[in-house]
Amino acid sequence: MREQEAPQNLKEALEIIAEMRRAIQRLEKENTELKAQLEAARRAGKRQATPFSKGALKDNPKTPGQKAGHAAVNRAIPTRVDRVLKAALPTQCECGGRIVEDEIRQQYQVDIPRPIPTIVTQFEVSIGYCAVCGKRHQGRHAEQTSDGLGAAGVQIYC
């Protein structure tokens, strides 16, 4: 009876050994991967540059900003203007040259003092250039809160 049991036990022992070898290989592989992750984490802690990095870049990232042809988003030009002030150009450039006026553009400032009604001021901003050096110049009024024109041409002042 012992002779019949021996091959059976040997067969089971070999299967157990083979299973243990597979487990050891799997654990060694996992151990190697974890060591690599630990080393990467240690290096990242010492690195000074780009601490805000989020890892690997995407293969096909989206382009930033609005889609082409989208509607502009800015404050509408007021329908009512209570007063008009002129923002004249300086008389002379820093280089000593004469400033030539090119155009006049509008900038609006909406003053919202509460509980009094709003006061809308339109600034006639003169824009020009130096006849000598060609430098661009823009007029400025003492009551203007910004030099912005175009999309930034309407400000709210509280």
Side-chain angles (χ1 to χ4, degrees):
M1 223 167 157
R2 278 228 178 242
E3 292 175 11
Q4 292 175 353
E5 290 177 12
Q8 183 71 17
N9 288 339
L10 180 62
K11 194 174 192 180
E12 288 176 9
L14 290 174
E15 286 178 10
I16 291 171
I17 291 171
E19 188 176 318
M20 290 178 135
R21 282 185 180 161
R22 286 191 296 271
I24 289 170
Q25 287 176 346
R26 182 180 49 81
L27 290 172
E28 285 177 344
K29 182 179 176 185
E30 185 178 334
N31 187 19
T32 305
E33 291 172 359
L34 290 172
K35 282 182 180 179
Q37 288 177 4
L38 177 62
E39 184 59 31
R42 284 182 180 161
R43 276 186 275 125
K46 294 178 183 176
R47 188 179 311 127
Q48 295 295 317
T50 64
F52 48 83
S53 176
K54 296 179 183 173
L57 298 176
K58 293 181 180 179
D59 291 335
N60 297 314
K62 290 183 178 180
T63 55
Q66 290 281 356
K67 303 287 183 232
H70 78 286
V73 180
N74 52 19
R75 200 160 177 82
I77 294 175
T79 56
R80 186 191 87 226
V81 175
D82 297 315
R83 56 191 195 147
V84 177
L85 301 175
K86 300 216 179 283
L89 286 168
T91 55
Q92 195 172 9
C93 181
E94 291 90 15
C95 72
R98 181 178 60 88
I99 295 176
V100 179
E101 184 176 292
D102 266 349
E103 62 180 316
I104 296 177
R105 294 181 56 191
Q106 283 71 38
Q107 178 193 56
Y108 300 88
Q109 180 175 300
V110 181
D111 188 5
I112 309 176
R114 292 189 178 95
I116 304 168
T118 60
I119 299 167
V120 179
T121 304
Q122 174 181 322
F123 294 96
E124 299 289 331
V125 182
S126 296
I127 299 170
Y129 65 94
C130 175
V132 175
C133 67
K135 181 178 176 183
R136 181 184 183 277
H137 287 274
Q138 178 174 317
R140 173 93 177 164
H141 191 275
E143 291 187 34
Q144 275 182 282
T145 56
S146 168
D147 285 329
L149 299 172
V154 180
Q155 294 95 34
I156 296 179
Y157 178 73
C158 296

